[in-house]
């Protein structure tokens, strides 16, 4: 099994005004598992396994929010918003076959980029998608047919990344599927093969079977530190990187919910999206709303100190963890934007005092590995 070393690089693209030359300064913290570079130096991550590699922006635009439940998406407005994110240097988009029109929107967007932006700009755009099949027999033709659907919808000859999910570990057909996906990669229809919501045991099995996965997308936040207890160590040994979602907990980790009272109807902000409802259940499993408020107050203090927002601190903290290649922030395309907060992540440096304060607040909660299980187990509990 090849062992690769994660590379974080900074790139200058003067033609688009994306990225400025900045001096680099590396600092270390005994409380954080990886070093941090200031300014724009860690905007990019190279995900790599053997000869396969893909450079992505470390803050990814998550497109689950296009699937319904967050507000009506106007197609033209959504594509214009995607262009604004890309113009601001946030050029990696994450989607899935079941995220409503997400793949179709990307196809329209990438054609706009081809027509309206220079070639070097296009090289920075990355579209990561997922395939979430039912646990049926994974034949070569079945896998090929489904991947071709995503290629057509996204209007690309080769998918930048295909992230594979499997519902039932008792059915080892996931190995067949991944081998067929690897064949498609060799044919040039996929550039990199990756996973989503696999646990540590299955990731190890997959790597032992010679499948060159470059990353595993898992839930990871200041509240949900499960990936650091098992998964990150395997990633450190193998070079596989983590792409994290739920990092701002659907917006719960924000000023909007600081001091919010959810016990009285209409007294505070409503949990009116699928992501807010999902991550409120995670807060309940971790320790409850009162304990979470203590964490938010700690986060607000740190955010004020650095002149940034709570979500910016939340993402920076996770990006600094062992094995993390990138973190997702959901985008409500055409409805709301957080470009400034997202770009502030790259210049934020959390010092030892900040990290210790966060750890003091989070250790008051429950160990979610003991409550829920390993990464992805929340999708497979009976």
């Amino acid at each position: 099994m090849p062992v690769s070393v994660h590379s974080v690089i900074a790139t200058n693209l003067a033609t688009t005004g994306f990225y400025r030359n900045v001096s680099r300064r590396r600092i270390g913290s005994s409380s954080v598992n990886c070093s941090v570079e200031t300014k724009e130096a860690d905007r990019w991550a190279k995900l790599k396994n053997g000869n396969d590699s893909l450079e992505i922006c470390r803050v990814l635009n998550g497109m689950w929010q296009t699937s319904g439940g967050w507000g009506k998406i106007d197609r033209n407005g959504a594509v214009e918003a995607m262009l604004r994110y890309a113009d601001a240097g946030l050029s990696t988009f994450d989607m899935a076959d079941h995220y409503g029109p997400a793949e179709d929107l990307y196809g329209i967007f990438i054609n706009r980029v081809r027509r309206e932006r220079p070639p070097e700009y296009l090289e920075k755009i990355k579209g990561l998608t997922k395939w979430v099949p039912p646990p049926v027999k994974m034949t070569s033709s079945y896998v090929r047919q489904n991947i071709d659907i995503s290629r057509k919808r996204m209007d690309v000859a080769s998918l930048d990344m295909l992230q594979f999910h499997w519902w039932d570990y008792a059915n080892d057909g996931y190995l067949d599927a991944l081998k067929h996906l690897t064949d498609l990669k060799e044919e040039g229809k996929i550039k990199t093969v990756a996973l989503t919501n696999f646990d540590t045991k299955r990731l190890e099995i997959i790597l032992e079977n010679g499948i060159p996965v470059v990353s595993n997308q898992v839930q990871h936040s200041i509240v949900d530190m499960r990936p650091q207890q098992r998964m990150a160590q395997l990633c450190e040994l193998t070079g596989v990187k983590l792409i994290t979602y739920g990092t701002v907990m659907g917006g719960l980790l924000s000023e909007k919910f600081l001091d919010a009272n959810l016990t009285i109807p209409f007294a505070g902000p409503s949990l009116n999206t699928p992501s807010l409802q999902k991550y409120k259940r995670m807060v309940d499993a971790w320790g409850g709303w009162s304990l979470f408020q203590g964490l938010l107050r700690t986060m607000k203090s740190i955010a004020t100190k650095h002149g940034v927002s709570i979500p910016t601190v939340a993402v920076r903290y996770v990006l600094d963890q062992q094995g993390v290649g990138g973190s997702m922030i959901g985008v409500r395309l055409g409805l709301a934007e957080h470009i400034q907060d997202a770009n502030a992540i790259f210049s934020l440096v959390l010092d030892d005092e900040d990290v210790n304060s966060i750890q003091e607040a989070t250790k008051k909660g429950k160990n979610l590995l003991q409550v829920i299980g390993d990464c992805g187990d929340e999708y497979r509990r009976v």
Side-chain angles (χ1 to χ4, degrees):
M1 177 178 62
V3 176
S4 62
V5 179
H6 173 53
S7 171
V8 176
I9 59 176
T11 304
N12 218 5
L13 254 184
T15 55
T16 62
F18 275 3
Y19 320 115
R20 301 175 296 279
N21 279 319
V22 294
S23 61
R24 297 186 182 185
R25 176 171 61 90
R26 184 179 292 275
I27 67 169
S29 168
S30 59
S31 302
V32 181
N33 288 322
C34 64
S35 59
V36 179
E37 294 180 337
T38 63
K39 304 301 181 186
E40 301 287 311
D42 71 342
R43 179 179 290 270
W44 302 104
K46 183 171 284 187
L47 311 180
K48 183 175 175 63
N49 191 328
N51 294 324
D52 301 338
S53 67
L54 187 74
E55 186 180 71
I56 65 168
C57 179
R58 294 195 74 201
V59 175
L60 298 88
N61 305 311
M63 294 179 66
W64 180 31
Q65 284 74 7
T66 66
S67 62
W70 287 265
K72 182 176 175 57
I73 296 291
D74 173 77
R75 181 166 295 215
N76 292 332
V79 172
E80 289 293 339
M82 293 174 75
L83 287 167
R84 288 193 294 274
Y85 275 92
D87 286 344
L90 302 165
S91 55
T92 300
F93 296 84
D94 179 88
M95 64 212 84
D97 58 344
H98 61 288
Y99 286 2
E103 291 184 334
D104 302 300
L105 290 171
Y106 183 85
I108 299 169
F109 159 75
I110 201 66
N111 272 298
R112 287 278 303 273
V113 171
R114 289 166 183 154
R115 294 194 308 268
E116 302 171 12
R117 301 293 190 273
E120 56 268 33
Y121 182 112
L122 179 62
E123 292 174 4
K124 286 296 175 185
I125 304 298
K126 298 296 186 298
L128 286 52
T129 195
K130 306 179 193 74
W131 182 40
V132 185
V136 298
K137 185 172 179 60
M138 291 289 115
T139 64
S140 175
S141 60
Y142 181 77
V143 174
R144 181 183 299 271
Q145 176 186 1
N146 281 275
I147 298 314
D148 283 346
I149 291 172
S150 288
R151 291 172 57 235
K152 182 177 180 180
R153 293 180 69 191
M154 295 173 67
D155 201 10
V156 294
S158 180
L159 300 175
D160 290 325
M161 178 185 287
L162 192 285
Q163 301 166 102
F164 176 71
H165 174 87
W166 191 250
W167 293 107
D168 183 11
Y169 291 147
N171 179 343
D172 64 3
Y174 65 89
L175 291 173
D176 296 327
L178 285 164
K179 288 173 182 176
H180 295 317
L181 289 172
T182 302
D183 290 340
L184 291 174
K185 178 185 67 68
E186 296 301 321
E187 292 179 20
K189 293 191 173 185
I190 300 170
K191 293 176 184 175
T192 52
V193 175
L195 306 172
T196 181
N197 290 316
F198 273 80
D199 65 8
T200 308
K201 179 180 178 180
R202 254 55 61 160
L203 173 58
E204 187 170 12
I205 290 171
I206 288 165
L207 293 171
E208 288 173 348
N209 275 267
I211 308 297
V213 298
V214 298
S215 62
N216 185 22
Q217 187 176 136
V218 296
Q219 184 172 294
H220 193 351
S221 68
I222 284 177
V223 166
D224 187 358
M225 295 293 289
R226 288 177 296 157
Q228 293 303 311
Q229 298 185 54
R230 292 180 185 170
M231 182 74 65
Q233 287 71 29
L234 179 59
C235 290
E236 188 73 12
L237 288 171
T238 62
V240 172
K241 290 299 169 186
L242 299 174
I243 295 176
T244 74
Y245 67 87
T247 309
V248 297
M249 303 189 74
L252 290 178
L253 283 169
S254 71
E255 283 80 1
K256 180 178 181 179
F257 287 91
L258 177 63
D259 297 325
N261 186 343
L262 300 184
T263 61
I264 303 174
F266 310 110
S270 61
L271 303 177
N272 58 355
T273 70
S275 52
L276 285 172
Q277 294 159 13
K278 172 182 179 179
Y279 294 112
K280 173 56 165 59
R281 292 192 293 270
M282 197 61 56
V283 167
D284 293 341
W286 175 71
W289 193 247
S290 177
L291 191 62
F292 184 69
Q293 285 299 312
L295 174 60
L296 281 180
R297 285 189 285 273
T298 296
M299 300 284 286
K300 179 59 177 177
S301 176
I302 295 169
T304 300
K305 169 183 169 182
H306 292 282
V308 297
S309 67
I310 290 175
T312 297
V313 175
V315 177
R316 181 73 262 175
Y317 184 83
V318 171
L319 279 178
D320 289 344
Q321 299 304 306
Q322 184 179 42
V324 176
S327 291
M328 198 94 56
I329 301 179
V331 289
R332 299 176 64 185
L333 298 171
L335 301 175
E337 289 189 359
H338 43 68
I339 290 173
Q340 183 175 349
D341 282 352
N343 270 326
I345 294 164
F346 300 111
S347 58
L348 174 60
V349 178
L350 299 176
D351 59 33
D352 286 347
E353 180 183 19
D354 302 329
V355 172
N356 290 336
S357 295
I358 291 170
Q359 291 177 342
E360 283 297 314
T362 56
K363 75 179 184 181
K364 297 175 183 177
K366 296 176 183 176
N367 182 343
L368 290 181
L369 184 70
Q370 297 174 357
V371 176
I372 300 172
D374 200 2
C375 299
D377 281 359
E378 60 268 33
Y379 297 102
R380 300 178 179 90
R381 300 176 77 189
V382 179

